[in-house]
Amino acid sequence: MTLIATPRSLSFDAPLALQSGASIRQYSLAYETYGTLNADRSNAVLICHALNASHHVAGVYAGQEKSEGWWDSMIGPGKPVDTNRFFVIGVNNLGSCFGSTGPMHVNPDTGRIYGADFPVVTVEDWVNAQARLLDALGIQQLAAVMGGSLGGMQALSWTLQYPQRVRHAVVVASAPNLNAENIAFNEVARRAIVTDPDFHGGHFYEHGVVPKRGLRIARMIGHITYLSDDVMNEKFGRQLRNGLLQYTTQDIEFQIESYLRYQGDKFSEYFDANTYLLITRALDYFDPAIRFDGDLARALAPATARFLLVSFSTDWRFSPKRSREIVKALLDNDRDVSYAEIDAPHGHDAFLLEDARYLAVVRSYFERIAAEFAGAAAVRELPAGALL
Amino acid sequence: MTLIATPRSLSFDAPLALQSGASIRQYSLAYETYGTLNADRSNAVLICHALNASHHVAGVYAGQEKSEGWWDSMIGPGKPVDTNRFFVIGVNNLGSCFGSTGPMHVNPDTGRIYGADFPVVTVEDWVNAQARLLDALGIQQLAAVMGGSLGGMQALSWTLQYPQRVRHAVVVASAPNLNAENIAFNEVARRAIVTDPDFHGGHFYEHGVVPKRGLRIARMIGHITYLSDDVMNEKFGRQLRNGLLQYTTQDIEFQIESYLRYQGDKFSEYFDANTYLLITRALDYFDPAIRFDGDLARALAPATARFLLVSFSTDWRFSPKRSREIVKALLDNDRDVSYAEIDAPHGHDAFLLEDARYLAVVRSYFERIAAEFAGAAAVRELPAGALL
């Protein structure tokens, strides 16, 4: 059965105070839901997205066969996060470019397009905005919050900002903060965008241009770091595009060059440059331990949720070591933690791919969650039945 | 004792045929020499440079205290490559931007600056040009050829192109070819340069501009890959530049950003954009096994030199695994190979740094070489003495 997705949008008029001290006066969030909220509203699962994804998590849009959501292998009827049992919510984050209020929208305070003036948003700000969406949907407590990479940071932050509203957190291919190398890659990508003459200080919309050169470079760097060395060698190795060397410095010689240019071109057609800056900055800033002198165990003490963490052996951007830091900090707090380190060849990208062991781990964890609320429902039904 | 270096230049009028099929009609090579060539011309050591280095390998220029050569820790009087015993030659490669003929020079065929029309040069072409320099210096056989990274590729190639002219090859932090990830990083750097509007298709000299934006990005990417994750965390970690977050996407927040921008700026002031393209392409192209269906053992069969290979544990750009491939291929040919894998924290950069174990390994290897020609000289002297 194909899941048909319907994008929705909700507007919020109460200003949202941001971590930076600024606030957003008025904004809307694009979201989608799949499955049915049960009577006691206990089966909701919130999915948080990473850099270039959106609220379109699962299913396809009516009449658009190839419009699968970005985590369609994970979420849907009969899938590991089974929409026959769970009410799944995908939401596009503030500052993104897929429907929620972002830099390409008009700032109600000035009547001008935000551009580079869109306020800096953090993981914590996103979680606060997501919490308001849940309020509007009438959901007090999530069965689970789940995300990979930057999405995993949001899931983790949920357990700290709203511990009572999260029963489970599924944190995939993530980290308690970025290390220097990750910040460095983000910074190079940002510099490529900001120094593109078509960026115009972030106000390129008014000039009718897009800093595509910068976006291409940013995406090429991203792609290198999402893949493992091994999978890149296996997929491309030193294969030539034309069989014979052309001896050229500017044209394509190797297949890997062709692949990267293609990915860069595609990305520059649809992704917003200011959004790229905002989202990589949110990644850089996330660091719950910063207020505790780097003591992650103390930082995670407020979390009462139960956790599943997953990492991938060849992920050098968000390595297993970083997931283990989270696991250890949670165990130091005597929390209930499951952890799977999947031996997958695909690097960071693995969290988006179909790996049988990975999907099986998540499936079995969500079966445990489903059993809990099925049990709770059974408990609630029992007294009623006993009255008969 | 401070070694005073004197840059020299030699012009060559016989055309040099290049691997691409093109040729260079007329060119000059910048070089320096240190120490004294012995009577039987058996103590010459050629040093090959990597991406952004030059013929200025050791010592300082008269009156310029801070002008140390790029491998001054390795080469000089009493140093591991001891210029009291060896006659050391540093040479700037064709296409580079430090004195040898390159893209910023006038093409004698057209009277115009070469720019992007400078012919593509390969490691093999460089070795051929270096061989002519040795001819001119009257050196038939090298005691050793030595280089790190791309310089190591040249040293390896010497043993294949001119097996009779090399007694020893010292190949540091190198590889038998670049893998897909390395080509990918080179390609992103090249695209950043080529798509900079100030590149003007490689003919920016005529426009009085320099594609600095592209050069900065290229260098920032380079710096990330030259360092290890660990050393970057230790040196910069998540340190903020101003102590407090500023919440900005375009200004500097983290020290690592400041470091990378500084390195990028500095590089863009002195390095030639076309040279960057040429040299990264030479890296991409090097692959002696390509003509042997990827069989490196067969490719290295012509080498008769004795080898020292050195790699560094945290070098992820030219990892120990790649050096071991060379070692294995040489051993498959029953060659005389020494190999040291140095447990150093600094990543690829380690080959340029002062690490006591690394310097000791090279020192002891060169003592062995010196003993050989000292022995040879003794043997030659004996019969003469016997006549008395």
Side-chain angles (χ1 to χ4, degrees):
Chain A
M1 192 195 80
T2 307
L3 184 69
I4 299 297
T6 310
R8 300 175 201 280
S9 183
L10 254 177
S11 288
F12 297 83
D13 287 327
L16 182 73
L18 303 174
Q19 202 179 337
S20 66
S23 70
I24 302 193
R25 187 151 71 84
Q26 214 178 25
Y27 60 95
S28 61
L29 294 177
Y31 70 101
E32 293 181 8
T33 68
Y34 324 93
T36 309
L37 190 61
N38 62 8
D40 61 358
R41 298 165 182 268
S42 65
N43 69 336
V45 174
L46 176 69
I47 306 294
C48 305
H49 70 75
L51 201 145
N52 68 321
S54 73
H55 51 292
H56 182 42
V57 174
V60 295
Y61 294 132
Q64 298 175 47
E65 262 181 47
K66 301 212 160 173
S67 63
E68 287 97 353
W70 58 270
W71 224 349
D72 194 59
S73 58
M74 183 64 84
I75 297 156
K79 294 189 178 169
V81 182
D82 187 350
T83 52
N84 291 329
R85 289 165 147 182
F86 291 96
F87 178 67
V88 177
I89 306 152
V91 56
N92 188 217
N93 283 326
L94 273 177
S96 180
C97 52
F98 297 113
S100 293
T101 299
M104 71 296 300
H105 293 125
V106 170
N107 179 350
D109 290 334
T110 64
R112 277 183 67 195
I113 293 177
Y114 276 112
D117 299 330
F118 194 88
V120 168
V121 282
T122 64
V123 165
E124 286 79 1
D125 296 330
W126 286 335
V127 167
N128 286 332
Q130 291 161 6
R132 289 193 177 179
L133 175 67
L134 294 193
D135 293 344
L137 297 176
I139 296 163
Q140 180 48 35
Q141 192 186 54
L142 290 165
V145 59
M146 176 175 184
S149 190
L150 176 57
M153 289 175 167
Q154 294 161 61
L156 180 58
S157 205
W158 258 99
T159 69
L160 305 176
Q161 295 175 249
Y162 298 98
Q164 303 309 319
R165 297 188 73 169
V166 190
R167 295 205 303 278
H168 293 269
V170 179
V171 178
V172 183
S174 197
N177 62 28
L178 291 194
N179 64 14
E181 189 181 77
N182 276 328
I183 296 174
F185 278 122
N186 282 346
E187 171 69 358
V188 181
R190 280 191 298 264
R191 294 313 291 165
I193 290 170
V194 166
T195 63
D196 183 333
D198 285 337
F199 184 66
H200 292 286
H203 295 286
F204 51 88
Y205 316 94
E206 301 164 12
H207 295 79
V209 292
V210 167
K212 287 194 179 182
R213 302 179 199 89
L215 281 165
R216 285 189 194 109
I217 297 295
R219 187 56 165 177
M220 290 171 88
I221 295 170
H223 261 278
I224 298 175
T225 64
Y226 304 150
L227 296 178
S228 71
D229 199 16
D230 284 351
V231 88
M232 227 191 247
N233 283 329
E234 198 182 291
K235 237 172 137 172
F236 303 103
R238 295 181 52 83
Q239 279 171 59
L240 297 174
R241 193 169 66 159
N242 297 315
L244 273 176
L245 290 179
Q246 313 297 310
Y247 295 101
T248 167
T249 59
Q250 297 186 40
D251 297 335
I252 290 170
E253 288 277 26
F254 297 93
Q255 289 290 12
I256 179 68
E257 299 173 333
S258 173
Y259 170 78
L260 288 176
R261 290 198 195 183
Y262 172 77
Q263 296 294 343
D265 286 346
K266 213 172 62 173
F267 189 68
S268 74
E269 296 290 333
Y270 74 85
F271 206 81
D272 179 72
N274 284 305
T275 292
Y276 200 94
L277 306 185
L278 287 168
I279 296 195
T280 54
R281 256 315 186 213
L283 268 165
D284 292 353
Y285 285 143
F286 183 68
D287 189 10
I290 197 172
R291 289 186 295 119
F292 301 90
D293 291 325
D295 184 338
L296 189 63
R298 278 175 59 214
L300 301 193
T304 52
R306 280 157 288 173
F307 281 83
L308 170 63
L309 281 105
V310 181
S311 71
F312 300 94
S313 56
T314 57
D315 184 348
W316 58 282
R317 191 98 192 244
F318 291 84
S319 71
K321 180 169 164 278
R322 305 310 315 273
S323 283
R324 276 185 243 125
E325 289 175 32
I326 301 175
V327 170
K328 182 177 182 310
L330 290 167
L331 291 177
D332 286 345
N333 286 297
D334 287 324
R335 293 295 173 264
D336 181 335
V337 190
S338 303
Y339 174 53
E341 205 166 297
I342 309 284
D343 189 12
H346 303 97
H348 190 54
D349 257 6
F351 92 86
L352 295 167
L353 301 177
E354 291 192 51
D355 177 289
R357 285 161 304 180
Y358 166 42
L359 295 182
V361 162
V362 176
R363 179 181 293 278
S364 101
Y365 195 83
F366 274 87
E367 277 166 4
R368 169 185 160 186
I369 304 178
E372 284 167 15
F373 64 72
V379 169
R380 267 190 304 279
E381 274 161 19
L382 259 183
L387 288 177
L388 290 179
Chain B
M1 193 195 80
T2 305
L3 184 69
I4 299 296
T6 310
R8 298 174 202 281
S9 183
L10 254 178
S11 289
F12 298 83
D13 287 326
L16 182 74
L18 303 173
Q19 202 179 339
S20 67
S23 71
I24 302 193
R25 187 152 71 85
Q26 213 178 27
Y27 59 94
S28 61
L29 294 178
Y31 71 100
E32 292 181 7
T33 68
Y34 323 94
T36 310
L37 190 61
N38 61 8
D40 60 358
R41 297 165 182 269
S42 64
N43 69 336
V45 174
L46 176 69
I47 306 294
C48 306
H49 71 74
L51 202 145
N52 68 321
S54 73
H55 51 290
H56 183 40
V57 174
V60 296
Y61 293 132
Q64 299 176 48
E65 262 182 48
K66 300 211 161 175
S67 64
E68 287 97 352
W70 57 270
W71 223 349
D72 194 59
S73 59
M74 183 64 84
I75 297 158
K79 294 190 176 168
V81 182
D82 187 350
T83 52
N84 292 329
R85 290 165 149 186
F86 291 96
F87 177 67
V88 177
I89 306 152
V91 55
N92 190 218
N93 283 325
L94 273 177
S96 180
C97 51
F98 297 112
S100 293
T101 299
M104 70 295 301
H105 293 124
V106 170
N107 179 350
D109 290 334
T110 64
R112 276 183 67 194
I113 294 178
Y114 276 111
D117 299 332
F118 194 86
V120 168
V121 281
T122 64
V123 165
E124 288 80 0
D125 296 330
W126 285 334
V127 168
N128 287 332
Q130 291 161 5
R132 288 193 177 181
L133 175 66
L134 295 193
D135 293 343
L137 297 177
I139 295 163
Q140 180 48 35
Q141 193 187 53
L142 291 165
V145 59
M146 177 176 183
S149 189
L150 175 57
M153 290 175 167
Q154 293 160 61
L156 180 58
S157 205
W158 257 99
T159 70
L160 305 176
Q161 295 175 249
Y162 299 98
Q164 303 311 317
R165 298 188 72 170
V166 191
R167 295 205 303 279
H168 293 269
V170 179
V171 178
V172 182
S174 197
N177 62 29
L178 291 194
N179 64 14
E181 190 182 75
N182 276 327
I183 297 173
F185 279 122
N186 282 346
E187 171 69 0
V188 181
R190 280 191 297 265
R191 294 314 290 165
I193 290 170
V194 167
T195 64
D196 183 331
D198 285 336
F199 183 65
H200 292 288
H203 295 286
F204 51 89
Y205 316 93
E206 300 164 15
H207 295 79
V209 292
V210 168
K212 287 194 179 183
R213 302 179 200 89
L215 281 166
R216 285 188 194 109
I217 297 294
R219 188 56 166 178
M220 291 170 87
I221 295 170
H223 261 278
I224 298 176
T225 65
Y226 304 151
L227 297 179
S228 72
D229 198 16
D230 283 351
V231 89
M232 227 192 248
N233 284 330
E234 198 182 291
K235 235 171 137 173
F236 304 103
R238 295 180 53 82
Q239 280 171 57
L240 297 174
R241 193 169 65 158
N242 297 316
L244 274 176
L245 290 179
Q246 313 297 312
Y247 296 100
T248 166
T249 58
Q250 296 186 39
D251 295 335
I252 290 170
E253 289 275 28
F254 296 93
Q255 289 289 13
I256 180 68
E257 299 173 333
S258 174
Y259 170 78
L260 288 176
R261 289 197 196 185
Y262 172 76
Q263 295 293 343
D265 285 346
K266 212 172 61 169
F267 189 68
S268 74
E269 296 289 334
Y270 75 84
F271 206 79
D272 179 72
N274 284 306
T275 291
Y276 200 94
L277 306 185
L278 287 168
I279 296 196
T280 54
R281 257 313 186 214
L283 269 165
D284 292 354
Y285 285 144
F286 184 68
D287 189 11
I290 196 172
R291 288 185 297 119
F292 301 89
D293 292 325
D295 184 339
L296 188 63
R298 278 175 58 214
L300 300 194
T304 53
R306 280 156 288 171
F307 282 83
L308 169 64
L309 281 104
V310 181
S311 71
F312 300 94
S313 56
T314 56
D315 184 348
W316 58 281
R317 190 96 191 249
F318 291 83
S319 71
K321 181 169 164 277
R322 304 310 314 276
S323 283
R324 276 186 242 124
E325 289 174 33
I326 300 175
V327 170
K328 183 177 181 310
L330 289 167
L331 291 177
D332 286 346
N333 285 298
D334 287 326
R335 292 294 174 265
D336 181 335
V337 190
S338 302
Y339 175 53
E341 204 167 298
I342 309 283
D343 189 13
H346 304 97
H348 189 55
D349 256 4
F351 92 86
L352 294 168
L353 302 177
E354 290 192 51
D355 178 289
R357 287 162 302 180
Y358 165 42
L359 295 182
V361 163
V362 175
R363 178 181 294 277
S364 101
Y365 194 83
F366 273 87
E367 277 167 2
R368 171 185 158 186
I369 303 178
E372 283 168 14
F373 64 71
V379 169
R380 267 190 303 280
E381 278 163 16
L382 260 183
L387 286 177
L388 292 177

